[in-house]
């Protein structure tokens, strides 16, 4: 709250496509899709229409003992996108809840299978999976964890395959050692496929993930792919995992953020047949128990179905073209001594700023505002996660604005 003096909140009145308009009529391009959720920009007409239509029929009914068409349709469409390898869908309302559900499912399924010793989880160095107690326990960002350490459960942290260090082999070796030594205590490994977003946009190859999948299978450890940030087309394919394999899926995949295009809170946990079968019993102690009041809210499911309509009509082709525009526009930063080489995975682009000085993220953010940009670096990492509304001109606008912000911030303005 103290920082609000130097960085007052932007009072936003409206939004259209990539742009946000504040109360005084100034505009800002939302270069980070409002924490990576507004993948189709703001006030997408088709999603709005789907929500209104659904609101006129049914706004909410509890999913305990009831069901409804938008949830069933959404579950079937998502399952089909995994070739029905992950054919069971559990609904929740936000990313952290989805992580909690996945952790509980893995632990409980292992216990039912007679592997009650598997009480631990593993995650990658610098991973971010949310900030409720369970999700924060499998996060490795000290800023968010330090004050709450005493509340968190023990988690095994394994080295990350951070593209900036080119150390995928070392990361695989570390994982192999961990699984050899403690695999019989680990219920699941949770990862963010292709890009560790909250930890600073570090990227890794599909090949790394392919080997992780093999190793977790060998050690009978479940693999949770947290696609809350990287799913819904962000890395170029609907699921980031499609770049790894279309037939050999993780045991669980999570989606949230972009699934409703930033219109309503929703998350989904897609689970394998094996996990589902563990809980299929008359015995209540074997049932998977987890309830949220707004689970599978019909309005949110209707919004998500409208987002999937865009993908059914070829949105990933448009994303590929827009990623190209972004790459061409930011090519000017390669070889620029102010910054590290630019890295990109689909519609995620990032670089580090050299000699960035104190309080860089906030100073850069404030310069962004002055250059019609909503942008929030993580430490000295400047990243763009724009909505899928780019054309060549907008990509150039983004590169110019970032360039000018860098000039200003590094010259001490
Ligand atoms: C990979 C990942 N997992 C989980 C979460 C938590 O989602 P939420 O903020 O909706 O709780 C986030 C949020 O940024 C995320 O990036």
């Amino acid at each position: 709250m103290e920082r609000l003096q130097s960085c007052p909140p932007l009072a936003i009145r409206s939004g259209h496509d990539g742009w946000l308009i504040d109360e005084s009529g100034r505009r800002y391009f939302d270069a980070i899709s409002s924490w990576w959720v507004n993948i189709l920009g703001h006030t997408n007409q088709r999603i709005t229409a789907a929500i209104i239509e659904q609101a006129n029929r049914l706004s909410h009914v509890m999913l305990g003992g009831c069901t409804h068409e938008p949830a069933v349709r959404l579950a079937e469409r998502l399952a089909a996108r995994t070739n029905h390898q992950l054919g069971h869908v559990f609904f929740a309302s936000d990313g952290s809840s989805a992580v909690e559900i996945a952790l509980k499912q893995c632990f409980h399924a292992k216990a039912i299978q007679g592997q009650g010793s598997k009480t631990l989880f593993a995650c990658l160095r610098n991973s971010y999976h949310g900030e409720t107690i369970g999700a924060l326990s499998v996060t490795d960002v000290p800023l968010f964890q330090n004050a709450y350490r005493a509340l968190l459960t023990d988690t095994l942290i394994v080295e990350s395959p951070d593209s900036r260090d080119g150390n995928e082999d070392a990361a695989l070796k570390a994982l192999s050692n961990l699984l050899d030594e403690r695999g019989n205590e680990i219920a699941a490994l949770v990862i963010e496929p292709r890009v560790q977003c909250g930890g600073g946009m570090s990227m890794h190859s599909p090949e790394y993930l392919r080997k992780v999948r093999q190793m977790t299978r060998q050690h009978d450890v479940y693999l949770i792919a947290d696609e809350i940030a990287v799913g819904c087309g962000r890395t170029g394919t609907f699921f980031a995992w499609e770049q790894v394999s279309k037939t050999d899926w993780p045991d669980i995949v999570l989606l949230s953020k972009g699934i409703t295009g930033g219109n309503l809170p929703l998350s989904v946990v897609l689970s394998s047949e094996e996990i589902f079968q563990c809980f299929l019993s008359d015995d209540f102690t074997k049932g998977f128990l987890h309830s949220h009041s707004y689970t599978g809210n019909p309005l949110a499911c209707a919004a998500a179905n409208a987002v999937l309509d865009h993908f059914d009509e070829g949105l990933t082709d448009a994303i590929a073209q827009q990623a190209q525009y972004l790459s061409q526009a930011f090519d000017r930063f390669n070889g620029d001594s102010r910054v590290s080489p630019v890295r990109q995975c689909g519609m995620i682009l990032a670089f580090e700023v050299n000699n960035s000085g104190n309080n860089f993220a906030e100073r850069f953010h404030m310069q962004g505002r002055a250059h019609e940009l909503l942008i929030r670096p993580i430490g000295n990492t400047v990243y763009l996660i724009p909505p899928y509304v780019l054309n060549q001109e907008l990509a150039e606008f983004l590169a110019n604005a970032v360039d000018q912000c860098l000039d200003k911030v590094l010259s001490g303005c």
Side-chain angles (χ1 to χ4, degrees):
M1 294 303 287
E2 282 285 320
R3 298 289 268 271
L4 291 184
Q5 295 295 332
S6 56
C7 189
L10 275 177
I12 299 299
R13 187 179 61 207
S14 61
H16 297 284
D17 297 331
W19 296 96
L20 292 163
I21 313 290
D22 74 11
E23 290 291 351
S24 63
R26 277 187 60 83
R27 66 175 196 167
Y28 310 88
F29 191 86
D30 190 349
I32 52 172
S33 301
S34 282
W35 271 339
W36 326 336
V37 303
N38 284 85
I39 57 172
L40 292 162
H42 296 272
T43 51
N44 177 287
Q45 289 307 301
R46 190 163 176 184
I47 304 176
T48 306
I51 294 170
I52 292 171
E53 196 195 330
Q54 182 59 41
N56 281 323
R57 203 167 336 125
L58 175 72
S59 296
H60 187 68
V61 63
M62 64 184 193
L63 219 53
C66 299
T67 188
H68 52 78
E69 192 265 351
V72 173
R73 183 151 175 263
L74 178 60
E76 286 178 350
R77 293 172 86 184
L78 290 173
R81 283 184 171 273
T82 70
N83 280 324
H84 301 279
Q85 297 302 300
L86 303 177
H88 303 281
V89 180
F90 198 101
F91 292 93
S93 323
D94 57 74
S96 298
S97 301
V99 172
E100 301 286 342
I101 290 163
L103 298 177
K104 281 175 68 178
Q105 282 191 355
C106 290
F107 162 76
H108 198 172
K110 289 290 180 202
I112 290 168
Q113 289 166 351
Q115 299 181 68
S117 66
K118 288 182 176 273
T119 57
L120 293 176
F121 298 101
C123 68
L124 299 187
R125 172 88 50 223
N126 290 330
S127 57
Y128 181 95
H129 296 287
E131 294 176 47
T132 52
I133 302 298
L136 193 58
S137 297
V138 292
T139 286
D140 182 43
V141 181
L143 174 69
F144 301 125
Q145 288 179 304
N146 282 348
Y148 309 103
R149 287 249 179 238
L151 302 179
L152 305 182
T153 58
D154 285 342
T155 293
L156 302 166
I157 312 279
V158 66
E159 285 318 311
S160 149
D162 188 337
S163 53
R164 290 165 293 193
D165 306 333
N167 62 358
E168 290 195 355
D169 288 343
L172 285 166
K173 183 80 190 113
L175 179 61
S176 167
N177 290 343
L178 177 72
L179 293 175
D180 283 345
E181 284 163 26
R182 311 207 48 184
N184 59 349
E185 298 168 73
I186 304 174
L189 168 70
V190 51
I191 49 162
E192 298 158 82
R194 299 291 277 120
V195 188
Q196 291 184 268
C197 293
M201 306 297 153
S202 62
M203 301 178 184
H204 51 258
S205 69
E207 192 50 32
Y208 163 81
L209 294 166
R210 213 163 284 131
K211 290 184 178 146
V212 168
R213 176 67 289 198
Q214 282 164 11
M215 281 184 201
T216 49
R217 274 203 204 294
Q218 276 159 14
H219 289 85
D220 209 2
V221 165
Y222 283 137
L223 180 62
I224 302 169
D226 175 349
E227 299 215 5
I228 287 162
V230 296
C232 301
R234 183 52 67 185
T235 67
T237 42
F238 182 80
F239 289 110
W241 193 268
E242 288 168 55
Q243 295 163 40
V244 180
S245 171
K246 290 199 167 89
T247 49
D248 189 13
W249 286 80
D251 301 282
I252 291 183
V253 173
L254 313 177
L255 291 176
S256 187
K257 290 193 184 277
I259 188 68
T260 67
N263 287 270
L264 285 160
L266 181 72
S267 58
V268 293
V269 179
L270 298 154
S271 311
S272 68
E273 184 64 25
E274 177 185 310
I275 291 179
F276 175 77
Q277 286 294 335
C278 287
F279 302 124
L280 202 58
S281 165
D282 248 358
D283 176 352
F284 267 82
T285 63
K286 292 188 178 161
F288 180 67
L289 298 181
H290 190 101
S291 336
H292 284 297
S293 311
Y294 278 91
T295 286
N297 172 259
L299 299 178
C301 291
N305 276 312
V307 168
L308 290 190
D309 290 344
H310 283 271
F311 280 98
D312 286 352
E313 290 163 16
L315 183 58
T316 45
D317 293 341
I319 292 172
Q321 176 66 70
Q322 293 179 34
Q324 191 79 28
Y325 292 143
L326 205 57
S327 148
Q328 284 158 359
F330 279 78
D331 191 42
R332 68 167 84 170
F333 291 99
N334 285 314
D336 184 330
S337 61
R338 298 173 299 173
V339 301
S340 73
V342 174
R343 58 186 179 281
Q344 186 177 356
C345 181
M347 289 285 272
I348 303 176
L349 182 144
F351 55 80
E352 276 68 44
V353 175
N354 302 323
N355 307 316
S356 55
N358 284 341
N359 210 9
F360 169 79
E362 187 175 300
R363 288 187 295 125
F364 194 88
H365 166 74
M366 290 308 284
Q367 275 303 330
R369 292 187 188 188
H371 290 85
E372 298 189 325
L373 214 54
L374 179 63
I375 192 162
R376 286 170 56 115
I378 299 174
N380 71 333
T381 304
V382 171
Y383 75 87
L384 285 98
I385 297 198
Y388 313 149
V389 297
L390 293 191
N391 53 28
Q392 207 164 0
E393 199 185 327
L394 277 171
E396 283 296 331
F397 161 81
L398 289 173
N400 284 335
V402 167
D403 208 349
Q404 287 164 22
C405 291
L406 269 180
D407 270 350
K408 291 274 188 198
V409 171
L410 295 180
S411 65
C413 291

